[in-house]
């Protein structure tokens, strides 16, 4: 109110309270596709313990909360109309990672962002979609993934609800295996070839933008 000022004693009490209160808990947002969601590879279903949940106990030691956002068939920045068979009511834009990232990020307001995306961009139908705009290769997919991280920086910088620095880790997608299951899911030999360059392309992209980079050790 006009003319109202906080008494000095209350100001001192508030400053003392800030000095003595415990550090705040912060959120870590894991944003990805079926790998992050926990899709099982030896049965139809979801692993009870996803790979982000494997880190939950260690994160708590640093007062970090785990926030998962994984969606099967999620791409970096493409709509995918081919998911109606397994998801009732699915619409193509549901699977566009860039378009659906913003509300997820704002809801979580994380201090750490972990992104693992790019595998679904290798599907034959997604590569056909991308060819209308540019040639599909590992670098193109990595740069599309970077768009999500750059959007996160933009939102974090301009939001009154985000404090401190935003730490971003980009995880390179694992190699695609050429087997009957992957063929059924829409991958081909070109998918395998492109995936072999993911680690190199994602590493260069992270170096260019100053993101932290991680490469999974997957057999």
């Amino acid at each position: 109110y006009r003319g109202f000022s906080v008494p000095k004693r209350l100001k001192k009490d508030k400053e003392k309270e800030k000095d003595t209160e415990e550090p705040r808990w912060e959120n870590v947002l894991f944003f990805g596709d079926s790998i992050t969601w926990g899709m099982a590879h030896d049965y139809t279903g979801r692993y009870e313990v996803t790979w982000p949940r494997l880190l939950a106990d260690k994160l708590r030691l640093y007062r970090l909360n785990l926030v998962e956002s994984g969606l099967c068939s999620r791409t970096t920045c493409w709509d995918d109309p081919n998911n109606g068979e397994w998801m009732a009511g699915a619409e193509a834009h549901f699977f566009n990672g860039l378009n659906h990232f913003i509300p997820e990020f704002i809801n979580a307001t994380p201090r750490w962002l972990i992104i693992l995306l790019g595998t679904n961009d290798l599907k034959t139908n997604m590569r056909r979609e991308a060819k209308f705009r540019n040639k599909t290769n590992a670098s193109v997919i990595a740069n599309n993934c970077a768009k999500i991280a750059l959007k996160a920086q933009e939102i974090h910088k301009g939001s009154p609800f985000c404090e401190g620095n935003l730490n971003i880790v980009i995880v390179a997608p694992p190699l695609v295996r050429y087997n009957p299951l992957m063929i059924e899911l829409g991958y081909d030999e070109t998918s395998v070839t492109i995936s072999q360059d993911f680690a190199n392309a994602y590493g260069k992209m992270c170096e260019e933008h100053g993101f932290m980079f991680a490469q999974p050790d997957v057999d």
Side-chain angles (χ1 to χ4, degrees):
Y1 294 99
R2 185 177 300 174
F4 176 80
S5 61
V6 179
K8 292 182 178 180
R9 180 178 60 79
L10 293 180
K11 287 185 178 179
K12 290 181 179 180
D13 289 346
K14 191 66 177 178
E15 291 173 358
K16 184 177 179 181
E17 181 181 318
K18 287 185 178 180
D19 292 337
T20 58
E21 66 184 9
E22 293 185 355
R24 291 176 52 188
W25 284 74
E26 305 287 354
N27 289 335
V28 181
L29 174 61
F30 289 80
F31 190 76
D33 51 31
S34 60
I35 299 173
T36 299
W37 186 80
M39 173 64 75
H41 295 104
D42 52 353
Y43 63 92
T44 302
R46 186 182 193 184
Y47 291 127
E48 183 175 344
V49 181
T50 62
W51 80 263
R53 294 177 192 175
L54 292 173
L55 303 174
D57 288 342
K58 289 186 177 181
L59 292 175
R60 280 193 286 269
L61 295 176
Y62 298 93
R63 307 184 73 82
L64 294 171
N65 295 311
L66 170 66
V67 181
E68 295 177 273
S69 176
L71 177 66
C72 298
S73 295
R74 178 178 277 160
T75 69
T76 57
C77 64
W78 305 110
D79 294 354
D80 185 355
N82 299 291
N83 294 291
E85 291 185 5
W86 68 270
M87 180 187 284
E91 297 181 19
H93 67 89
F94 289 178
F95 306 95
N96 187 315
L98 179 61
N99 284 354
H100 282 265
F101 170 75
I102 297 173
E104 297 281 356
F105 183 81
I106 293 175
N107 180 62
T109 57
R111 284 292 297 276
W112 286 83
L113 172 63
I114 319 296
I115 302 174
L116 172 48
L117 277 177
T119 298
N120 290 305
D121 291 41
L122 295 175
K123 292 179 180 179
T124 55
N125 66 304
M126 289 294 95
R127 296 206 315 273
R128 284 195 297 270
E129 175 71 18
K131 281 182 179 178
F132 286 108
R133 297 168 177 82
N134 49 45
K135 183 179 178 181
T136 304
N137 56 45
S139 295
V140 169
I141 296 173
N143 289 329
N144 285 337
C145 186
K147 293 177 183 178
I148 298 173
L150 293 171
K151 177 60 67 174
Q153 289 182 327
E154 177 186 347
I155 297 171
H156 184 87
K157 183 178 180 180
S159 172
F161 305 107
C162 297
E163 300 178 353
N165 295 321
L166 174 63
N167 304 287
I168 298 176
V169 181
I170 308 291
V171 184
L175 296 176
V176 170
R177 307 294 185 185
Y178 191 62
N179 55 42
L181 174 60
M182 297 306 285
I183 294 173
E184 182 182 351
L185 292 175
Y187 298 90
D188 59 11
E189 292 180 344
T190 301
S191 307
V192 176
T193 301
I194 295 175
S195 75
Q196 292 171 348
D197 196 37
F198 267 161
N200 179 56
Y202 275 67
K204 288 182 178 179
M205 175 271 288
C206 288
E207 184 177 358
E208 177 184 350
H209 294 289
F211 304 141
M212 286 173 271
F213 172 66
Q215 182 179 354
D217 184 12
V218 179
D219 295 330

